[in-house]
Amino acid sequence: MKPAVLEVMRMNRVCRMVLVTSVGSFILVIFYFQSMLHPVMRRNPFGMDICCRKGSRSPLQELYNPTQLSNTAILHQIRRDQVTDTCRANSVSSRKRRVLTPNDLKHLVVDEDHEMIYCYVPKVACTNWKRVMMVLTGRGKYSNPMEIPANEAHVSSNLKTLNQYSIPEINHRLKNYMKFLFVREPFERLVSAYRNKFTQKYNTSFHKRYGTKIVRRQRKNATQEALRKGDDVKFEEFVAYLIDPHTQREEPFNEHWQTVYSLCHPCHIHYDLIGKYETLEEDSNYILQLAGVGNYLKFPTYAKSTRTTDEMTTEFFQNISSEHQTQLYEVYKLDFLMFNYSVPSYLKLE
């Protein structure tokens, strides 16, 4: 039997505590694996109460103690192992460990009815996943994710995040709920963020907040109009802004180009499932299947004609110097390693 198969079969052991830290009144206990030994109350995605029948199982039970082992389960175990190994190799979760605060948990969306936690990463299908979470948590208010307007999916009050709970409630959910996130090739995600926030005329708030600052710092002899509007930022200027030490000292990156490592804290929080943008539909529907709603709800499958592709990303990096490419790779290196993305062939690293 292959080692990966053996590892999946071992997942039904009792939870193992990996972190107990405190700062002031905040204490966060994070657990790795948890066997679920008690029946739970579950709801279908349309809000009707369903009392668990004998033998019904939680998403964590379905994942770690499956009735039938599948190649998909093995794949996700390999992805989990990759994250664990990267954290260990880079000493991120041991010697450099830091406490998590409630502010670190604001990207973790909680679904009480299906006992799931989703860490959303902008530019990785998060709009559609938020729509799905609104269906799952809406108690019958919604039935079709694509009927929910995109702007409504991003209204913070429509979904509850983990930082809104008390410390004991946070610990309970981290221990007992199935936690998942979705990732994307880091530079493809970065180009997608740039195209969306700096090349679309309607994003005036980003132009004012970030574009004017980037032009002021990175463009010699900028016109007064460019300094005032910030609506014509070049990708080369955006990259220079990201690798500028002053930028990183000044404030955290905006969530649209922040690293997944910093948004979701995978070296501190053990994610049970790591979906990928490249296998979005398969991974998403596997999660819905584990949640017991696969017969009612499917992940939206429509493809955006404007989505950023690998070929497009290659073109954007053609005018970036090898020095800046190397510095930018260092910024996103953990995301590349942790989620098993190879160094892009178009990079000219020094």
Side-chain angles (χ1 to χ4, degrees):
M1 189 174 290
K2 295 180 179 179
V5 177
L6 291 173
E7 280 299 314
V8 172
M9 295 177 69
R10 294 191 191 108
M11 293 304 104
N12 62 349
R13 66 182 181 269
V14 179
C15 63
R16 176 164 60 90
M17 186 174 71
V18 296
L19 175 61
V20 182
T21 52
S22 64
V23 171
S25 62
F26 186 75
I27 301 173
L28 183 60
V29 181
I30 298 174
F31 290 80
Y32 261 47
F33 305 111
Q34 170 72 19
S35 61
M36 304 294 287
L37 303 177
H38 56 278
V40 294
M41 290 293 295
R42 313 232 344 241
R43 295 177 184 270
N44 74 11
F46 306 113
M48 292 177 59
D49 284 339
I50 300 176
C51 181
C52 287
R53 297 181 297 274
K54 184 178 180 180
S56 64
R57 294 148 60 81
S58 73
L60 279 182
Q61 284 178 314
E62 292 290 350
L63 177 64
Y64 288 125
N65 191 17
T67 52
Q68 184 176 358
L69 195 62
S70 67
N71 290 334
T72 303
I74 296 171
L75 170 65
H76 284 281
Q77 177 59 46
I78 292 171
R79 289 178 181 176
R80 287 191 293 273
D81 289 344
Q82 178 72 22
V83 171
T84 301
D85 292 345
T86 303
C87 291
R88 185 181 298 118
N90 289 273
S91 301
V92 176
S93 62
S94 55
R95 291 188 295 275
K96 296 181 181 179
R97 179 180 296 159
R98 67 179 183 85
V99 68
L100 295 181
T101 67
N103 191 55
D104 293 317
L105 306 176
K106 63 185 180 182
H107 273 245
L108 278 71
V109 176
V110 180
D111 174 3
E112 295 288 357
D113 295 335
H114 305 91
E115 299 188 339
M116 299 195 301
I117 296 175
Y118 160 57
C119 184
Y120 70 89
V121 178
K123 309 313 298 178
V124 192
C126 80
T127 301
N128 278 351
W129 254 112
K130 284 183 177 181
R131 285 167 163 152
V132 169
M133 294 296 280
M134 287 175 67
V135 172
L136 291 173
T137 61
R139 307 282 176 97
K141 184 178 180 180
Y142 310 99
S143 60
N144 182 354
M146 295 313 294
E147 290 179 354
I148 301 173
N151 62 330
E152 190 173 338
H154 294 293
V155 174
S156 59
S157 60
N158 284 334
L159 291 167
K160 192 167 185 179
T161 50
L162 195 59
N163 62 315
Q164 298 174 43
Y165 291 82
S166 70
I167 294 164
E169 290 171 334
I170 289 172
N171 290 332
H172 171 77
R173 282 154 183 78
L174 286 173
K175 172 182 173 183
N176 293 289
Y177 287 16
M178 184 175 77
K179 301 166 291 295
F180 68 95
L181 75 160
F182 276 78
V183 300
R184 183 178 186 177
E185 201 280 338
F187 284 170
E188 185 178 301
R189 175 176 168 247
L190 186 66
V191 170
S192 178
Y194 166 77
R195 292 180 64 222
N196 178 247
K197 301 306 176 187
F198 294 108
T199 69
Q200 303 297 323
K201 294 301 181 184
Y202 60 80
N203 266 322
T204 54
S205 61
F206 270 81
H207 301 158
K208 289 287 187 183
R209 173 73 177 81
Y210 296 101
T212 55
K213 184 186 299 183
I214 293 171
V215 170
R216 185 172 68 252
R217 291 183 183 174
Q218 306 301 334
R219 187 180 303 177
K220 295 179 179 179
N221 303 318
T223 65
Q224 288 301 310
E225 182 180 16
L227 289 168
R228 186 178 74 257
K229 291 185 175 181
D231 62 353
D232 63 344
V233 172
K234 298 179 176 63
F235 185 66
E236 298 92 316
E237 295 169 334
F238 180 52
V239 169
Y241 164 77
L242 293 175
I243 63 177
D244 185 346
H246 180 74
T247 301
Q248 299 176 45
R249 287 194 302 267
E250 183 181 50
E251 61 181 347
F253 280 177
N254 177 274
E255 63 178 9
H256 291 84
W257 49 84
Q258 180 60 281
T259 62
V260 177
Y261 165 73
S262 297
L263 288 176
C264 295
H265 314 285
C267 288
H268 296 79
I269 297 173
H270 174 79
Y271 286 92
D272 304 290
L273 283 166
I274 299 161
K276 292 199 168 187
Y277 192 75
E278 296 78 12
T279 51
L280 176 63
E281 185 177 348
E282 302 96 305
D283 292 342
S284 297
N285 287 324
Y286 179 58
I287 291 168
L288 296 176
Q289 173 193 330
L290 290 171
V293 300
N295 292 333
Y296 306 94
L297 183 62
K298 299 294 182 186
F299 192 79
T301 57
Y302 85 102
K304 292 173 65 175
S305 59
T306 58
R307 76 173 285 269
T308 301
T309 63
D310 180 62
E311 292 77 13
M312 202 177 292
T313 303
T314 302
E315 291 181 17
F316 272 90
F317 272 83
Q318 291 304 306
N319 295 325
I320 306 299
S321 69
S322 59
E323 179 185 5
H324 282 189
Q325 287 185 7
T326 301
Q327 291 174 296
L328 189 67
Y329 178 78
E330 286 300 315
V331 173
Y332 293 92
K333 183 178 180 178
L334 269 181
D335 281 4
F336 275 99
L337 298 176
M338 196 169 290
F339 306 115
N340 202 27
Y341 287 107
S342 58
V343 177
S345 58
Y346 56 78
L347 286 191
K348 305 179 290 291
L349 301 182
E350 292 185 343

